[in-house]
Amino acid sequence: MELRTHPLDLRLASAFRISRGVQHVARTLAVELSLAGETGIGEAAPSAFYGETRETVLAALPRLVESMGDDPAHIEDAHAAFDGALHHGNAAAKAALDMALYDMMGKRLGVPVYRLLGLNHERTPFTSFTIAIAEPTEMARRAAEAREYPILKVKLGTEADLDIVRAIRDATDATLRVDANAAWTPKQAIRIIAQLEPYGVEFVEQPVAANDLDGLRLVRENSALPIIADESCVTLADIPRVVGRADGINIKLMKCGGIHNALAMIHAARAHHLKVMLGCMIESSLAITAAAQISPLVDYADLDGGLLITNDPYDGVRVERGKLTLPERVGLGVLPREDVNAEVEN
Ligand code: MG
């Protein structure tokens, strides 16, 4: 198979600050796999937190492509080959190729990926829209401005967490979900979550450090709000470890290596009676649409990456008042937008 890559610099509409840092541009990589006139596309949105950068993805891709066969329909074989070639990590690189293979498969068979997977596109959930960390008044202003979205995800893990939620609640009637991105100690988490209860918060994502599984259990046992594990649950192998310690998990294609692995995680989570959320990094509508293909299977979606950037170079899943609407085109159904170019000039 022939591989081509295009680095993308996705510009954020406003600084994307979470508890551990701030981002103004997301450096992702679009990939194209071609075979016998058929092309599949995918995107890697590497995260330094999980040990990847655009450079590691660029280094990993040729090795991964070399390892796999040339039938896009042999997705199980492709993933076994990926994990054989690069056992640890490189999930965003694997995810980009996984998406491209599903795209090719769908195009070859003349069906959208969700149909290939037997999913009902009418069952797509509503996505939340993220309010990144800023001054409480600024976050409340952004929440009011985001009035078209019925669900807001509020980033916390600051000195002013309660002020933030109070200010946002005064500005909007939207359902609120909060995400501390591992910022709290278990003791802090228990106290803050108890204070959040009157503000109509639906659940709390990743209250404590990723590897503090005992802390996660302590928080869950002492909190009335459901707890969703994100940083603590990266791949399939993490699921048994969070059972009894969280009420649900946040699956991201960039953490687990793509659609194929995400499906395995969804089924494993169900077997353990865990709620399932489908999340994202800052990504264009290419990777977001790939994730949205399997969104009919999940309880909660946080697929707003494309909504947070000003130069989304792809047209794919539509978001209207938060509802995800999948394109009825073959494969991933993603098309380049002629009027936007996010490609990095070298
Ligand atoms: Mg999160």
Side-chain angles (χ1 to χ4, degrees):
M1 284 211 210
E2 199 184 314
L3 169 74
R4 271 186 304 275
T5 60
H6 311 278
L8 304 175
D9 277 357
L10 307 175
R11 287 191 299 274
L12 284 142
S14 52
F16 193 77
R17 184 179 294 280
I18 67 169
S19 56
R20 62 175 163 262
V22 66
Q23 206 178 355
H24 299 275
V25 176
R27 295 182 174 82
T28 76
L29 195 73
V31 310
E32 282 178 35
L33 278 180
S34 300
L35 181 74
E38 199 92 73
T39 297
I41 58 174
E43 181 181 14
S47 163
F49 184 76
Y50 296 107
E52 289 185 278
T53 61
R54 190 151 66 198
E55 287 65 40
T56 70
V57 173
L58 277 167
L61 286 172
R63 288 183 62 182
L64 296 172
V65 172
E66 203 178 302
S67 75
M68 72 186 191
D70 60 5
D71 189 337
H74 292 173
I75 194 83
E76 296 277 351
D77 289 358
H79 275 277
F82 293 164
D83 293 340
L86 292 169
H87 184 62
H88 290 292
N90 297 286
K94 292 172 185 174
L97 295 176
D98 166 276
M99 285 174 215
L101 291 172
Y102 274 102
D103 192 34
M104 275 177 104
M105 246 191 290
K107 285 171 174 168
R108 190 173 278 189
L109 296 171
V111 291
V113 170
Y114 64 80
R115 185 168 281 282
L116 189 71
L117 299 172
L119 303 177
N120 179 353
H121 67 288
E122 287 174 12
R123 293 194 190 280
T124 54
F126 284 72
T127 179
S128 50
F129 180 84
T130 301
I131 307 296
I133 291 174
E135 288 298 315
T137 49
E138 171 60 13
M139 289 177 76
R141 192 193 63 74
R142 289 183 197 168
E145 206 175 83
R147 66 177 63 78
E148 90 167 89
Y149 301 104
I151 310 165
L152 298 178
K153 174 156 136 176
V154 180
K155 292 292 193 180
L156 294 182
T158 74
E159 299 290 298
D161 286 342
L162 199 59
D163 294 338
I164 288 170
V165 174
R166 207 180 277 139
I168 289 180
R169 180 44 82 215
D170 281 345
T172 175
D173 292 329
T175 296
L176 301 182
R177 299 170 178 171
V178 308
D179 186 357
N181 285 109
W184 298 325
T185 65
K187 225 170 143 180
Q188 269 178 323
I190 291 164
R191 178 171 51 80
I192 296 168
I193 293 168
Q195 291 170 330
L196 292 178
E197 266 181 67
Y199 297 97
V201 172
E202 188 179 20
F203 60 70
V204 176
E205 209 181 307
Q206 196 64 40
V208 298
N211 58 7
D212 187 3
L213 296 179
D214 292 336
L216 194 62
R217 183 198 295 276
L218 193 70
V219 173
R220 184 183 181 226
E221 284 173 353
N222 290 282
S223 301
L225 297 179
I227 306 295
I228 306 288
D230 179 356
E231 285 88 337
S232 294
C233 188
V234 179
T235 67
L236 181 62
D238 295 319
I239 291 179
R241 289 197 275 270
V242 299
V243 172
R245 298 178 159 104
D247 299 280
I249 61 168
N250 184 354
I251 298 172
K252 298 179 184 170
L253 301 189
M254 299 303 158
K255 292 193 297 182
C256 73
I259 292 171
H260 172 270
N261 293 349
L263 289 169
M265 288 184 78
I266 292 170
H267 297 309
R270 294 301 182 203
H272 289 291
H273 307 286
L274 289 164
K275 293 282 190 186
V276 178
M277 173 175 180
L278 194 54
C280 63
M281 305 297 179
I282 305 298
E283 306 164 359
S284 80
S285 280
L286 173 45
I288 294 294
T289 305
Q293 298 287 335
I294 57 171
S295 69
L297 289 170
V298 307
D299 304 296
Y300 315 117
D302 179 35
L303 295 177
D304 62 348
L307 305 174
L308 303 173
I309 57 176
T310 56
N311 61 336
D312 187 348
Y314 293 98
D315 183 23
V317 65
R318 296 288 166 97
V319 182
E320 277 157 51
R321 297 180 190 281
K323 172 76 175 174
L324 297 165
T325 302
L326 284 161
E328 288 178 33
R329 296 184 287 262
V330 297
L332 295 176
V334 174
L335 299 173
R337 282 176 55 180
E338 300 299 336
D339 56 328
V340 183
N341 184 4
E343 248 185 77
V344 183
E345 305 284 338
N346 284 315

